[in-house]
Amino acid sequence: MRLPWLMGRLAGRILDRRLLGLIRRCLTAGIMAQGVVMARHEGTPQGGPLSPLLANVLLDDIDKELERRGHSFVRYADDSNAYVQSRRAGERVLAVLRRLYPTFHLHINEAKSAVARVGDRQFLGFTFWVAAGKVIRRRVASQALHTMKTRVRQMTRRTCGRSLAPVCASLRMYLVGWKAYFQLAETPRVFRLLDSWLRHRLWPLQLKHGKRGPTIFRELRARGMSVSGAAFVAAHARRWWWNAAQAINIALPNALFDGLGLPRLA
């Protein structure tokens, strides 16, 4: 959107002239492109704290229009979902938004916009599922789960050369925040499966530090594993992930990871 129009719009909502001047200076600060500072003529700095603030000011009128029409919707900055009862109603709402946005010198991102079932769309990492009795509940979106698992795989790769304690410390820094953000999800089974998967990632890491079969056998026996079980794992010492599916939880119980500060997700 053009800066003069944007500032004029803000002037109708913000009475503090000093604040308006500060916003103008932020918007005209320029951008760095290939090492060269270039003037900014439209738009707001992407990722900056000013963008969601301006979006809330400018899109308030669109919120009121959706409320006037009786639609259920949710919006955070410029990311929004509207919930209706049929595809035809969804197409009507999308057509209305396509007409409204240009009046604010804004454009709908067609690549990210669609009319779809509620379970197929996400909002800030969450989506919905239908529980017994047709009760709508929240869950972590599949894309957010994929991102989380990719991050954990990077932190627990067996070639990192780190022992279990520092790996668990790094995971704690990430997982505590992840769990706090997604604690609204109503899917305890998913979190239990994530807990199991996470420890399955860590068991091979610990086994690999034994390197040789005799060392692995000795360590597993010292941790309480049976002779036959320890011998079986030691005989297949290089099959790290496969070994983790055996009875390793006897030698490496959850209490071990609790003591290392690894948070439980379930």
Side-chain angles (χ1 to χ4, degrees):
M1 67 187 71
R2 289 291 176 177
L3 183 59
W5 184 90
L6 175 59
M7 294 307 302
R9 188 81 184 181
L10 292 175
R13 303 291 297 271
I14 300 175
L15 300 179
D16 191 331
R17 314 309 296 181
R18 295 174 299 174
L19 179 57
L20 288 172
L22 180 60
I23 292 175
R24 176 181 288 276
R25 287 196 294 273
C26 290
L27 294 176
T28 58
I31 57 176
M32 181 75 74
Q34 298 180 349
V36 179
V37 178
M38 303 177 63
R40 181 192 301 276
H41 301 288
E42 60 181 11
T44 61
Q46 186 174 6
L50 189 59
S51 297
L53 171 64
L54 296 182
N56 286 334
V57 173
L58 295 176
L59 297 178
D60 183 59
D61 290 338
I62 293 181
D63 292 347
K64 291 178 178 178
E65 177 62 21
L66 292 175
E67 289 176 351
R68 187 185 68 80
R69 292 171 178 264
H71 295 309
S72 298
F73 67 96
V74 59
R75 180 176 64 81
Y76 179 82
D78 60 346
D79 189 5
S80 64
N81 282 5
Y83 302 100
V84 293
Q85 295 184 348
S86 67
R87 171 171 287 275
R88 180 174 297 179
E91 291 171 348
R92 287 199 301 267
V93 172
L94 186 57
V96 168
L97 293 176
R98 286 190 176 118
R99 291 196 302 269
L100 287 176
Y101 269 65
T103 63
F104 295 91
H105 295 250
L106 299 172
H107 304 282
I108 290 180
N109 188 335
E110 297 292 347
K112 296 182 178 180
S113 302
V115 177
R117 296 177 63 88
V118 65
D120 297 333
R121 304 294 291 178
Q122 69 163 341
F123 182 75
L124 301 180
F126 288 91
T127 186
F128 300 96
W129 64 290
V130 182
K134 296 185 178 180
V135 178
I136 305 299
R137 300 194 182 279
R138 298 175 296 272
R139 68 179 180 185
V140 183
S142 58
Q143 183 178 350
L145 285 175
H146 175 75
T147 301
M148 178 264 200
K149 286 189 171 184
T150 299
R151 179 73 179 275
V152 170
R153 286 189 183 99
Q154 293 173 348
M155 300 171 72
T156 58
R157 63 188 187 276
R158 294 189 295 276
T159 58
C160 66
R162 295 190 297 168
S163 63
L164 202 57
V167 171
C168 286
S170 298
L171 284 171
R172 175 178 174 78
M173 294 176 63
Y174 173 65
L175 292 176
V176 166
W178 191 89
K179 179 181 179 180
Y181 182 83
F182 286 107
Q183 63 183 343
L184 294 177
E186 301 169 289
T187 51
R189 180 176 177 272
V190 172
F191 290 128
R192 287 195 299 269
L193 290 175
L194 280 176
D195 266 335
S196 176
W197 174 82
L198 179 60
R199 281 154 181 78
H200 201 123
R201 291 286 309 175
L202 292 171
W203 289 335
L205 186 66
Q206 180 66 13
L207 285 175
K208 189 173 182 180
H209 281 287
K211 295 185 179 180
R212 300 171 60 243
T215 306
I216 293 176
F217 176 82
R218 185 172 62 251
E219 290 294 327
L220 292 179
R221 286 289 296 138
R223 293 178 179 273
M225 199 169 185
S226 67
V227 173
S228 59
F232 187 79
V233 172
H236 303 83
R238 295 292 177 180
R239 300 178 66 180
W240 313 116
W241 184 260
W242 181 82
N243 268 330
Q246 308 308 313
I248 303 298
N249 60 307
I250 298 175
L252 303 174
N254 290 342
L256 170 66
F257 300 109
D258 293 341
L260 292 173
L262 185 70
R264 297 195 186 194
L265 301 179

